[in-house]
Structures are given as C-alpha cells and as structure tokens.
Amino acid sequence: MRVFHDITKTRRAIDALAESEQRLAATYEHANIGIGEIDSSGRLMRVNHLACEITGRSREELLQRNIFDSTHREMQDLDRRQFQDLIAGKIDRYALEKRYAKGDGTEIWMEVICSAVRDGHGKFLFGVRVFQDVTKAKLWAEALAENQQRLAATYEHAAIAISEIDAHGRLLRVNETACAITGYPREELLGLSVFDLTHPDDRPTDQDSYQQQASRDSGPYAIEKRLFRRDGRTIWVSIASSSVCDASGRFLYGIRVMQDITARKRAEEMVRESEQRLRQVLEALPAAVYTTDAAGRVNFYNQAAVELSGRQPNLDTDEWCVTWRLCDPDGRPLPHDQCPMATALKEDRPVRGQEMLVERPDGTTASVIPYPTPLHDAAGALIGAVNMFVDITERKHAEARQKALIDELNHRVKNTLATVQSLAAQTLRGSGVGMAARDDFTARLFALSKTHDQLSRAGWESADFKSVVEGIFAPYQLHAGEQVKLHGPSVRLPPQSALLLAMVMHELATNAVKYGSLSVPEGALDVAWTVMSGAADRQLVIEWQESGGPRVRKPKHRGFGSRLADRAVTHELKGSAHIAFDPAGLHCRFEIPLVPASVPE
C-alpha cells in the first residue's frame, strides 16, 4: 500500500527559506559597511567583503585573528571591558571609535558598533561587529575643531571689540576687548543692550539703523557715537554693524565690531581748533594772505587781501592770485599764470624779492612784495601754497619824498661848498696868505666835497672806505704811478666816520706827495686795512706805511695833519691813532670802532 502526502506547501516554504537565506547572505556580503561575527574570545568567525577591504587583510587572514590584535593599545582595554560586559549580559551593545593598524601598517580610525546574538534563554551565542573607516571624517572633525578653537581664540583676543546681539540689541556674546573698552565685566555686559551704553544724543540714529538691519530693510552700516563706560567716562567709538541670517534669509543675530576712537576724535578736535586759531591769526594780520591748492585754485583769503585787491575773491573761479590785475613795477601787465605764486607752484620753490604793482578795479594801484611759499604734506608731496602781499605803497611814497629832500639837500650843500670855496679864494687872494696855503685849503674842501658826493649817491646812509681812499689818491695817480698800493676788504662806514677819515687820509696823502715817499719816483706807499673782532666790539684797523722816500725827521711842532688825526680819530670816532716818524718812512696805525651798520660787504 502506498501512502501519498501533499508536501507542496512544505516544499514552497523550504524554497522560500533558502531564497531568503541567499538574499540575506548577499546583503551581508555586499553591505557598504564592514560586518564580522565573533565568538566569546573575540575571534572572528565570519566577515564580509568590505571588512577585508577596510582592514586591508584577506578573509583567511582575518578568520585567524582576534578583534583586539590590531587595535591600538590605548583602546584595547576599553574594547575588552565592554566586550566582556556584552557577553555577561550587562549591556546589549556598545560603540566606540578606535585606531586600527591595517595589513600594510597604516593606521586608520574605525567606528565600531558591537552587539550580541543570544538564544531563547539569553545565553550568548556570538557577537556582531559592524564597523566602518571614519579616518577622513575624523581628520575633518579634528581640523574643524582646531579651526573653531583658532577662531574662538581670534574672536576672544582680537584687538577690536566683537559682540553678538539679538534683534533687540541685547548682548549675547562679547570678547575681552569689548569688556576692556566699556569697562564692564563680561557677566554685566551680557545683561545689557548696546543702546543702554549709548549717549542719548546718538542713540536714535543707531537704533533706527539697527532696526532696519534686523528687519532686512537695509544691509550693514557704520556709525561713530559716544558711549558711557562703567566708570562714568564718555568715550568715542566706531561701530560696524552686520547681521547673520539662515539659508532662508531670516535674521539670526547681529555682529558688532567696535573700536575706541577717542584719541582720534581728540586729535581731530585739536586740528580743528588749530585751524581755527590759524584762521583767526591770518585774519588779524595787516598783510594780505591767501592760499591755493596744488593746481593754483584759491581756497582761502583774509580781509586784508580783500582790501588790498579792492575786490571779493571768488573761490570757485580765481586761480593763482586774488588781485584784479597784476603788473611789473613799470606798469606792464603780468598774466596771473605767470605771477610769482604760479612760479612757486610750478617750480615748487619759494619766490622772494620780486616787487609788483597791484591794480584795483577802481583804477587805484598799490606797490607790493609777494612772498609765495609752497606747502607740502608729511610725505613731501606738494599740496598747495601760501602767499603774503606786503604793501609797500607808503614806503615807496616815503622813499620818493626822502629822495627829493636828499637831492635838495645835496644841491644846497654843493652850493654852500662852492660859495665857501669862492669866498675863501677872494678873501685869501688879497690877505697876504701864500699860494700854497690857498691850495691846501682848496684841496681840503675838494676832498670833503668828493666824500660828500659818495654819501649823496648812497642816500647818506654809508660810504665804502676803499672808494673814499681811492677818491683821495685820484688826483695823484698820474704822478705816483704804481707807487701807491691799496688793499683791504670793502667796509661800509656811516657818514660821520667817512667824512672824518676822508679828511685824515687827505692830509696824510698831501704830506706824502709834498714831503714823504711820494715826493720821489722811487718812493712807495702801502695802505692796508682789515676788520678785527674783539671781545667787546669790532674795529677797523688801518695801516699807513711809507718807504723809499726822503729820510723822515720828527717835526719840532705838531702840524695840522697830526692834530686832525688826533682830534678826528681819538676824540670824534673814539678810536686810537699812533703816528711813528720812522727814518725809513712814516708809519701810522688807526683803530676805529665799527658801529653795527659798518660791516664788510
């Protein structure tokens, strides 16, 4: 007897189970993470393909190894303890990151999750290790952490104050510099709003700008404002405000960068005060002053410039000069772009000593001397120029009047000398006075007249000593030839000194020609002078030395020349006169104090 059972369902169930196991095995093998099964000693019983790839070892090699063999020694104890707790049922699973040595010796970071498979009674059957290579992620995380630490350190120790605030301006985070600038400890600052510390006059502007920024109606902005420190002092700060938003553009928080600019504000105030004082000084000056930029455009003038030029300068159009018209002293018009100020700017140098004539719109004129001077910045670059007109109109008028008076005086003095000479000649002609005496008197008047002419040409201010001496010897040059040597510096003498020394030199020259070294062809005369500086004053020292003439004898009586030298040099000029009658030739030495106006040229 044959018995038949329908096992279709059973067969189908077996086939389905086999198919499921195949599918699970394929999933196990091709999973994108490493999977390993381990016994209670930690030995690997089964691994998938990615486990081999991650560890760098073949399947055969892995199945002969323990999970702790290639684990870094710092992590072995922790892994073993947790694995023992898993076997004992104290924990169901554990996870850790550990360093692992691959087959080729390189070290990787591995993330491991270990769980247990138990029977129905909870007995440990085997463990399942799921792991993946997280080396790159670990390195990225470490780099990110290092970068965050660096940013945090930079944030905290930056030389400028940095703070984060909410939409209402309340401080959320501040760095150390923010505390230092405000004088508040961090704990107190974080309970305040940025507007709590702002000066009332500056608060509305900052609040309005920040509200617009927080509502996304405007972008970043900058402001300078006053801020109250904790110690009560008021300081100036500059604020740069920006915002941080999420991907959708929603406002998250604001960032405020703040700097203490109190010192700069004080410096700016000092500069403004200095400029104001300078303008007041320039306005108070009696001289016309104006300035231009480097291109010659007028950018400042004082009231004296208005009065001198007879017009109100135009800062929009005037260039080089503030005057209506500028001329040479002879009246020839000079274009403004050729005036001294233009020269100073174009050639970058001061211009001095150039007399000009300013013509006003009403036709009146003024004589001036301009003093244009270039201006430079700290780097030496040309930034403009300043010019001052010194009005010399009154001086020119006074000089003209003085010249007329001096010319009239000179004319009268010449007439007087001529009258004296004529009267003396007529008086002495019938008085029995010898011809020689009359000639001496006439010669003395002539010497006085010659020196008078020199002083007249110099406006009676001074006369050159060398020219005076040359004038004395001029009548004798044809007779003396090369016998007379004159040498010394050019020294300007005041009128009284020039006249008195001219008379003394004339008497000495006359005696030399009549009786001394110049009376014979082989005789010679050397006249030398120099300026000597002493402890108290400066002196003109004159040396008169005759030689090669007749033997000199000391006279029994003092003549007119000796008496004149003593009276003129010693008494009138407060100097000293030494006359030595040396048989070889007369020697004279005169020392005359020089007044300040008597200086070598």
Side-chain angles (χ1 to χ4, degrees):
M1 184 178 69
R2 303 181 71 177
V3 179
F4 296 93
H5 294 283
D6 186 355
I7 58 173
T8 303
K9 291 182 178 181
T10 302
R11 192 65 188 179
R12 288 176 179 172
I14 292 172
D15 291 342
L17 179 60
E19 183 181 352
S20 176
E21 287 179 349
Q22 288 178 356
R23 190 161 52 248
L24 288 173
T27 300
Y28 182 97
E29 185 63 28
H30 298 290
N32 61 357
I33 57 174
I35 304 175
E37 297 175 9
I38 53 177
D39 62 16
S40 58
S41 66
R43 183 172 300 277
L44 286 160
M45 300 184 300
R46 183 182 178 187
V47 293
N48 69 350
H49 173 73
L50 195 59
C52 301
E53 185 177 321
I54 292 173
T55 60
R57 290 181 169 85
S58 65
R59 195 183 306 268
E60 293 74 15
E61 185 181 359
L62 281 178
L63 295 180
Q64 295 176 8
R65 298 177 65 83
N66 189 289
I67 59 173
F68 309 114
D69 289 344
S70 298
T71 301
H72 194 280
R73 59 178 176 274
E74 292 180 358
M75 311 295 289
Q76 282 183 0
D77 290 343
L78 177 62
D79 199 1
R80 287 181 186 276
R81 286 197 306 270
Q82 293 191 89
F83 186 62
Q84 292 301 322
D85 290 343
L86 182 70
I87 293 173
K90 295 179 180 179
I91 55 177
D92 292 330
R93 63 172 56 201
Y94 69 90
L96 78 162
E97 289 182 352
K98 67 176 184 176
R99 283 182 289 175
Y100 180 87
K102 292 180 64 170
D104 59 4
T106 58
E107 193 174 79
I108 63 171
W109 276 93
M110 186 183 290
E111 183 182 64
V112 178
I113 300 175
C114 189
S115 58
V117 177
R118 307 179 190 277
D119 62 13
H121 302 289
K123 180 182 178 180
F124 179 84
L125 297 178
F126 59 90
V128 177
R129 302 272 284 196
V130 177
F131 54 92
Q132 57 182 340
D133 185 349
V134 293
T135 305
K136 290 184 179 180
K138 187 72 173 178
L139 293 176
W140 288 339
E142 289 177 352
L144 179 60
E146 181 182 353
N147 188 51
Q148 288 177 337
Q149 289 177 351
R150 187 163 53 249
L151 289 175
T154 301
Y155 180 98
E156 186 61 30
H157 300 291
I160 56 176
I162 304 174
S163 57
E164 299 172 9
I165 58 178
D166 64 15
H168 303 290
R170 190 174 296 105
L171 289 157
L172 305 174
R173 183 184 178 188
V174 295
N175 68 350
E176 186 61 33
T177 305
C179 299
I181 290 177
T182 62
Y184 282 87
R186 197 183 307 265
E187 296 75 18
E188 290 187 35
L189 268 183
L190 296 180
L192 298 173
S193 161
V194 292
F195 308 117
D196 293 336
L197 310 179
T198 304
H199 191 283
D201 293 344
D202 302 331
R203 192 177 299 153
T205 301
D206 195 10
Q207 279 183 321
D208 291 344
S209 298
Y210 186 68
Q211 287 174 0
Q212 293 180 27
Q213 185 182 70
S215 61
R216 308 300 295 151
D217 292 334
S218 66
Y221 70 94
I223 189 174
E224 292 181 355
K225 67 176 185 177
R226 285 162 292 179
L227 182 144
F228 294 125
R229 279 177 50 90
R230 191 174 187 272
D231 57 14
R233 290 192 295 119
T234 301
I235 63 172
W236 277 93
V237 294
S238 68
I239 301 292
S241 180
S242 57
S243 56
V244 176
C245 302
D246 61 16
S248 64
R250 184 173 61 88
F251 177 87
L252 297 178
Y253 58 90
I255 298 177
R256 308 270 282 194
V257 176
M258 178 173 66
Q259 287 182 288
D260 186 344
I261 59 171
T262 306
R264 193 198 80 194
K265 282 290 188 178
R266 288 174 181 167
E268 290 174 352
E269 182 62 26
M270 291 175 64
V271 169
R272 283 193 294 270
E273 291 176 357
S274 177
E275 290 177 348
Q276 181 63 25
R277 284 195 298 271
L278 178 60
R279 284 182 175 272
Q280 291 174 351
V281 169
L282 294 177
E283 286 292 350
L285 286 176
V289 177
Y290 71 95
T291 62
T292 71
D293 59 18
R297 290 183 291 269
V298 176
N299 51 26
F300 170 79
Y301 58 87
N302 64 358
Q303 184 58 33
V306 176
E307 296 169 359
L308 177 69
S309 61
R311 61 185 289 269
Q312 194 78 31
N314 191 325
L315 297 183
D316 295 326
T317 60
D318 282 6
E319 292 183 339
W320 312 114
C321 193
V322 296
T323 59
W324 182 64
R325 184 175 293 169
L326 205 59
C327 304
D328 286 339
D330 59 3
R332 182 175 62 88
L334 184 69
H336 279 183
D337 60 358
Q338 297 177 22
C339 71
M341 185 64 152
T343 301
L345 281 167
K346 293 175 181 178
E347 300 181 9
D348 194 9
R349 64 176 180 87
V351 177
R352 298 290 184 266
Q354 190 171 349
E355 188 176 321
M356 307 297 295
L357 196 65
V358 170
E359 184 177 347
R360 304 183 181 95
D362 61 5
T364 59
T365 61
S367 296
V368 299
I369 297 179
Y371 289 84
T373 303
L375 301 175
H376 304 88
D377 61 16
L382 181 69
I383 58 173
V386 58
N387 193 11
M388 178 175 68
F389 282 129
V390 177
D391 190 345
I392 59 171
T393 306
E394 288 301 320
R395 192 188 81 185
K396 298 288 285 186
H397 291 165
E399 289 174 352
R401 289 192 296 269
Q402 184 183 41
K403 184 178 184 303
L405 290 173
I406 289 176
D407 289 345
E408 177 64 22
L409 178 62
N410 289 336
H411 177 69
R412 293 186 180 185
V413 170
K414 285 184 178 181
N415 289 343
T416 300
L417 287 174
T419 300
V420 170
Q421 186 174 3
S422 176
L423 289 173
Q426 293 178 14
T427 301
L428 295 176
R429 187 177 299 120
S431 64
V433 177
M435 181 63 70
R438 292 200 300 270
D439 291 344
D440 289 345
F441 183 76
T442 301
R444 288 166 185 158
L445 282 178
F446 182 74
L448 187 64
S449 177
K450 290 283 288 182
T451 306
H452 176 273
D453 287 342
Q454 287 193 39
L455 288 169
S456 296
R457 288 193 296 270
W460 279 87
E461 292 182 356
S462 64
D464 180 56
F465 178 69
K466 185 176 182 180
S467 299
V468 171
V469 178
E470 288 176 343
I472 296 298
F473 283 100
Y476 309 118
Q477 287 300 304
L478 293 175
H479 172 70
E482 295 298 322
Q483 292 175 281
V484 180
K485 302 294 183 183
L486 307 177
H487 47 91
S490 181
V491 180
R492 307 294 303 184
L493 296 175
Q496 183 185 18
S497 300
L499 289 171
L500 291 174
L501 286 177
M503 296 303 297
V504 172
M505 293 293 105
H506 169 76
E507 290 301 320
L508 290 174
T510 300
N511 288 334
V513 170
K514 287 184 176 182
Y515 316 111
S517 61
L518 299 184
S519 65
V520 296
E522 61 272 18
L525 170 63
D526 186 86
V527 182
W529 63 92
T530 186
V531 176
M532 304 291 290
S533 296
D537 55 14
R538 300 168 67 249
Q539 292 187 328
L540 173 63
V541 179
I542 305 170
E543 299 278 356
W544 179 287
Q545 182 65 61
E546 297 183 24
S547 62
R551 182 178 179 81
V552 177
R553 293 182 179 85
K554 185 176 182 179
K556 296 179 180 180
H557 304 287
R558 296 181 68 195
F560 178 77
S562 298
R563 294 195 305 272
L564 177 63
D566 182 62
R567 183 171 64 250
V569 175
T570 305
H571 297 288
E572 295 292 337
L573 300 181
K574 309 302 180 185
S576 61
H578 304 279
I579 302 177
F581 294 94
D582 188 341
L586 181 68
H587 176 255
C588 303
R589 179 182 173 91
F590 304 109
E591 296 180 2
I592 300 101
L594 290 175
V595 297
S598 308
V599 295
E601 289 184 340

